[in-house]
Amino acid sequence: MNNKGLLMIISGFSGAGKGTVVNRLLDKYGDFYALSISATTRSPREGEVHGREYFFKTREEFESMISNDELIEYARYVDNFYGTPKDYVEEKLNEGCNVILEIEIQGALKVKKIFPEAVLIFLFPPTVDELEKRLKNRGTETDQVITERMSRACKEIESAYDYDYIVINDDVEECTDAIHGMINAEKLKVSRQKDFIDKIRKDLVGHYC
Ligand code: 5GP
């Protein structure tokens, strides 16, 4: 079997529940997944820890990561920069882990250009009302930021067509299992298993054909 890990990207509107679903995937399926921790210039929210949710950087530090070519991609989201560190992703893929990038859409589409075999999953809320409700209930954002994030969703929906899968996050458990099922199926695609098929074919041809 092809032992190289699969690169998967989970995007979705702010408030769609990406963090919750990703944490559930990690809790439930342990070492099958590795989560890439992004760098950001955003300030930590209450309870967030440097190196766990994000690597929190100053603008200058973030710019130096860009100039040292340490990021696979980066994007500006509302008023902050976010980027995916390169080394960790490559290392984990080579170890055979399925690497999750929980990133916004511009970044996801850039990654797809660099890694065309990446699987892009767009997480949807069941309704727009529910999305707004979740953002308000989170209680971490001001009304102005909530409005900015809802208006950003209006633009982001246009890119949903460029993704490979959508998943509706109505029930976290079902949503988590749906994603895990997709990833397992993706890994068994013939296009990802050519080396394995070739090996069996070679052994057959050498001995029985
Ligand atoms: P938040 O501020 O709510 O933690 O994240 C805002 C947005 O930035 C989310 O849509 C999140 O998925 C996205 N994001 C987090 N890390 C990265 C990254 O490394 N690159 C890009 N392009 N987006 C990211």
Side-chain angles (χ1 to χ4, degrees):
M1 297 280 279
N2 178 359
N3 286 328
K4 196 157 188 285
L6 182 146
L7 183 59
M8 56 188 278
I9 300 176
I10 301 189
S11 307
F13 312 132
S14 179
K18 298 177 296 270
T20 310
V21 169
V22 166
N23 284 335
R24 195 69 195 116
L25 271 174
L26 295 168
D27 281 350
K28 215 167 166 178
Y29 301 107
D31 292 346
F32 190 75
Y33 296 106
L35 175 64
S36 157
I37 313 291
S38 297
T40 182
T41 59
R42 161 164 92 55
S43 311
R45 294 187 187 122
E46 212 180 305
E48 285 184 334
V49 175
H50 179 78
R52 188 180 68 192
E53 279 78 17
Y54 284 106
F55 295 108
F56 295 100
K57 302 280 176 187
T58 61
R59 185 71 184 264
E60 292 69 34
E61 286 167 339
F62 195 91
E63 277 165 6
S64 106
M65 289 183 88
I66 298 171
S67 48
N68 293 332
D69 198 25
E70 291 173 36
L71 299 174
I72 294 177
E73 61 73 39
Y74 65 93
R76 191 189 172 116
Y77 183 90
V78 186
D79 280 331
N80 291 297
F81 286 92
Y82 298 81
T84 307
K86 195 183 270 181
D87 286 356
Y88 179 83
V89 170
E90 288 177 352
E91 186 187 307
K92 286 289 164 188
L93 287 176
N94 287 331
E95 282 174 15
C97 279
N98 302 300
V99 178
I100 305 175
L101 307 186
E102 194 243 284
I103 66 176
E104 57 67 70
I105 289 143
Q106 304 166 60
L109 298 176
K110 284 184 209 159
V111 174
K112 184 79 179 174
K113 284 207 174 111
I114 305 167
F115 296 90
E117 69 286 0
V119 177
L120 269 58
I121 300 170
F122 201 112
L123 198 64
F124 271 77
T127 64
V128 171
D129 284 350
E130 175 64 21
L131 180 68
E132 200 176 359
K133 202 169 100 196
R134 286 183 192 172
L135 276 175
K136 286 186 174 151
N137 286 350
R138 197 147 82 174
T140 49
E141 254 76 61
T142 61
D143 283 353
Q144 195 206 333
V145 171
I146 292 173
T147 309
E148 280 168 3
R149 291 188 171 208
M150 290 302 290
S151 95
R152 176 130 183 162
C154 297
K155 297 190 192 98
E156 290 179 332
I157 186 77
E158 300 305 326
S159 299
Y161 301 99
D162 296 322
Y163 276 62
D164 299 308
Y165 295 97
I166 73 157
V167 186
I168 298 164
N169 182 18
D170 202 355
D171 176 272
V172 173
E173 220 49 39
E174 278 174 23
C175 183
T176 306
D177 289 341
I179 294 175
H180 188 61
M182 267 168 202
I183 297 305
N184 276 308
E186 273 291 332
K187 287 180 74 87
L188 295 174
K189 271 191 167 166
V190 168
S191 56
R192 294 185 196 276
Q193 295 296 342
K194 285 235 156 73
D195 290 350
F196 178 75
I197 300 172
D198 284 351
K199 183 191 171 300
I200 297 285
R201 181 165 172 258
K202 194 167 146 254
D203 290 351
L204 272 175
V205 169
H207 295 96
Y208 300 102
C209 309

